[in-house]
Amino acid sequence: KEGFASAVTVFFDDETKFDGDFVVGCDGINSKARQIIMPNLPKPQYTGSFVVGGTTDTPKYAGKPTDVLSFNFGKKVFFAYYIMPTGKTVWWSDIRIPEESIKENMNIPNESWKNILLKQHERDSEFFRKLVRSTNDKMTRLAIHDLPTFDVWFKGNVCLAGDTIHAVAPHAGQGASLAMESAMMLAKCLRDIPDVENAFSAYQKLRQDRAIDTKKMSRRNVDMF
């Protein structure tokens, strides 16, 4: 189409392919699209935050409201929980571990992690400890990463959006909002600017400062949590 660079053909592992005028890569922090078009960019950075959590039946005596996300700053580490109307509770604890021990901590058995968390929260609410003790399913382990600031968000008629180009730690609660804002701004730029590369350039200029500020705020909150 007029104003667009040469057409793009995208190939998938299942041997299907699609032709288009441009490609928007929005496949997350470990994006394949980013690796293909900018293979020399730095990799995601570990923030120092390691999250362990699970799902359990809520103790009936809890007396806690449902549909409320509760954030709690414990004496040592952070604890959050959400009681669903079904009676299940999702909970997680945010601790600090060094990067070199991530793999080791990923493989620690459930019961060992329970003991670690019970010790971390020994001076906090007994309710936190009851949630940890009653969790029988495999607990989730997440090493939280974000992305460094990149100078370029596109190459030719391939552009990156969302966590693919400006992933931030979740500690400010802004990751999904940031991605939706960028998606809407990218759509407006493509609608209003005839040349696709100029549209991508305008999109980056309009969004980059906001992404940088949000990353800084999220990193500051990681240290606080």
Side-chain angles (χ1 to χ4, degrees), residues 35-52:
Q35 294 170 27
I36 290 170
I37 69 167
M38 302 180 200
N40 297 320
L41 288 179
K43 294 181 179 180
Q45 301 169 323
Y46 177 53
T47 64
S49 169
F50 192 86
V51 173
V52 183

Side-chain angles (χ1 to χ4, degrees), residues 28-29 34 145-148 162-169 175 178 211 215:
I29 191 170
R34 188 179 69 245
H145 292 72
D146 61 13
L147 287 177
D163 279 358
T164 299
I165 193 64
H166 54 56
V168 298
L178 200 64
K215 178 190 172 181

Side-chain angles (χ1 to χ4, degrees), residues 9-141:
T9 301
V10 180
F11 297 87
F12 293 90
D13 287 341
D14 63 1
E15 299 185 353
T16 58
K17 64 179 183 178
F18 293 91
D19 297 321
D21 297 309
F22 58 85
V23 171
V24 179
C26 46
D27 51 336
I29 191 170
N30 295 309
S31 167
K32 293 293 185 183
R34 188 179 69 245
Q35 294 170 27
I36 290 170
I37 69 167
M38 302 180 200
N40 297 320
L41 288 179
K43 294 181 179 180
Q45 301 169 323
Y46 177 53
T47 64
S49 169
F50 192 86
V51 173
V52 183
T55 303
T56 184
D57 292 322
T58 308
K60 293 181 180 179
Y61 56 82
K64 309 286 185 181
T66 59
D67 278 343
V68 175
L69 184 57
S70 177
F71 288 167
N72 304 273
F73 292 89
K75 296 293 184 181
K76 292 182 179 179
V77 294
F78 175 83
F79 192 90
Y81 65 87
Y82 174 76
I83 302 176
M84 296 179 277
T86 59
K88 292 282 188 179
T89 294
V90 178
W91 63 267
W92 68 94
S93 187
D94 191 324
I95 65 177
R96 304 300 295 269
I97 65 167
E99 187 168 14
E100 57 269 21
S101 69
I102 289 176
K103 185 176 181 180
E104 173 190 344
N105 280 278
M106 286 288 188
N107 295 322
I108 292 176
N110 257 24
E111 289 304 313
S112 298
W113 259 120
K114 285 184 182 182
N115 291 332
I116 293 170
L117 294 174
L118 291 172
K119 182 69 174 177
Q120 291 289 328
H121 292 291
E122 63 183 352
R123 297 167 59 199
D124 299 329
S125 169
E126 172 64 13
F127 181 61
F128 304 168
R129 297 191 292 278
K130 287 184 182 297
L131 291 176
V132 173
R133 288 193 197 100
S134 62
T135 298
N136 295 317
D137 295 337
K138 181 176 175 59
M139 293 190 294
T140 298
R141 293 99 158 144

Side-chain angles (χ1 to χ4, degrees), residues 178-195:
L178 200 64
M180 289 188 285
E181 291 168 12
S182 289
M184 289 186 284
M185 186 58 70
L186 176 57
K188 289 180 68 175
C189 290
L190 287 166
R191 180 195 65 188
D192 298 338
I193 301 173
D195 180 82

Side-chain angles (χ1 to χ4, degrees), residues 1-6 21-22 156-157 190 193-199:
K1 292 181 181 179
E2 183 180 355
F4 287 89
S6 58
D21 297 309
F22 58 85
N157 51 355
L190 287 166
I193 301 173
D195 180 82
V196 68
E197 289 194 45
N198 287 340

